[in-house]
Each structure stands twice: as C-alpha cells, then as structure tokens.
Amino acid sequence: MSEQLFREVSPEAPELQPILTGLFGEYAARYGAFFTNQKEVELTEWYLPPRGLFIVLERDGEIIAMGAYKPYDAVTAEFKRIWTRSDLRRQGLALLILQELERRALRAGYQRVFLTTGFRQPEAVKLYIGHGYQPQFELLEDMEVYSQPPHDGRLRFLKVIDVHSVAQAS
C-alpha cells in the first residue's frame, strides 16, 4: 500500500521545480500568453510560516500535488499553486490539498480564504464551488467572457472558514 503524507517546503526548494514546471507548462498550454502582461510579484517570505505556507503531498516519497497560501489581509489567506500532477488527476488529490490548506490556515488564525482560478479551468471552478467557495462572479455557460474587458481572466472565490466548516469538509 502506498503511503501519502503532507510536508511543508520552502517555495524555493529544488525538489519543487519539476512540479512547478508542470504547473506553469499547463498554464501556458491553456492560456498561451494571456496572463503574460499580468505577472504577479511573488516574494518567498509571503509563503513562509507563521503567516504563509507551502505544502506538498507526497506518495512513496514522490511529490504528486502541492498548494500554498499567503496573507491576503489580516484575516484572509490567499490560496495559490493548488495543482496535481496531470497523470494523477481524478483521484481527489486537489481536494486533499484544499482541505489541508484550510485546516492549516485556520490554525494560523485566518478566518477566510480568497483564491482565484483562470477562466479556462472548469475543473477548478467545480472543485471550489463543490467545497463551499462562493464565486465573486456570475457562473456563465461561456467562461471565456471573463477573458474580455473589463475582466482580467481571473475568477475570484471567497470562503469563510471556521472549526465547524473545516471539520465538515474533512
């Protein structure tokens, strides 16, 4: 039987490079250059405890999924980099990452979660809505609408987290 475990890592850890390469490769395949001019500044210290976190899910010592959070404001964590290796999809791994991030964000003192996904990621939209995240946009049949002005391509979600909601989700 395979063993799975979560491990905290530095966002600069060399062992993250293959999975980060997969994540950014998938973004490039889905979006091309769409987000190129919207590059976000990311600082390593944002993802370090006690206010931030970067975790990986390992199976038999191999990184198979990841996720992170950083402070959005004093009571809100922003979830980032939730991703599962493409050859291991549809096993509930992204949900495991999401639940673990919620538990750890709650323990770190956060009361809400903010996250975004892109307009060409229907599986992520389905995951977040199915796990109690409230879309801050209209759910439309054609999400490509959000790639046109005045929109920026990001679909925003919010969720209030507390001991009850995190326990229910587990």
Side-chain angles (χ1 to χ4, degrees), residues 47-168:
Y47 296 99
L48 299 176
R51 299 295 294 160
L53 182 72
F54 207 110
I55 59 171
V56 294
L57 179 59
E58 295 180 327
R59 180 182 292 157
D60 299 328
E62 186 177 351
I63 296 173
I64 60 172
M66 68 178 171
Y69 66 76
K70 64 182 184 177
Y72 184 74
D73 63 33
V75 297
T76 309
E78 180 177 2
F79 285 8
K80 303 283 283 183
R81 308 290 181 259
I82 297 171
W83 196 72
T84 301
R85 250 181 35 195
S86 59
D87 61 324
L88 298 172
R89 302 267 165 87
R90 305 197 56 79
Q91 297 180 25
L93 300 175
L95 179 57
L96 290 176
I97 290 286
L98 192 62
Q99 291 170 328
E100 186 68 11
L101 288 172
E102 287 180 2
R103 280 192 286 276
R104 292 180 185 224
L106 185 63
R107 257 192 313 212
Y110 290 110
Q111 299 167 17
R112 289 188 308 242
V113 172
F114 170 80
L115 60 81
T116 63
T117 193
F119 61 95
R120 291 185 181 148
Q121 292 175 261
E123 60 284 309
V125 170
K126 184 178 177 182
L127 170 68
Y128 301 140
I129 289 172
H131 196 58
Y133 285 78
Q134 299 301 309
Q136 305 302 295
F137 58 94
E138 291 295 321
L139 289 170
L140 303 172
E141 200 169 302
D142 181 8
M143 299 302 259
E144 290 284 327
V145 166
Y146 294 110
S147 69
Q148 304 300 317
H151 308 287
D152 65 1
R154 290 182 175 86
L155 306 178
R156 292 157 176 81
F157 293 85
L158 282 174
K159 181 178 181 180
V160 173
I161 55 172
D162 57 29
V163 175
H164 179 70
S165 68
V166 170
Q168 271 188 329

Side-chain angles (χ1 to χ4, degrees), residues 23-68:
L23 168 73
F24 292 119
E26 184 165 332
Y27 287 167
R30 287 189 190 219
Y31 297 104
F34 182 85
F35 288 109
T36 305
N37 63 350
Q38 299 179 35
K39 282 271 191 211
E40 295 178 61
V41 173
E42 297 271 315
L43 300 178
T44 298
E45 58 262 24
W46 293 345
Y47 296 99
L48 299 176
R51 299 295 294 160
L53 182 72
F54 207 110
I55 59 171
V56 294
L57 179 59
E58 295 180 327
R59 180 182 292 157
D60 299 328
E62 186 177 351
I63 296 173
I64 60 172
M66 68 178 171

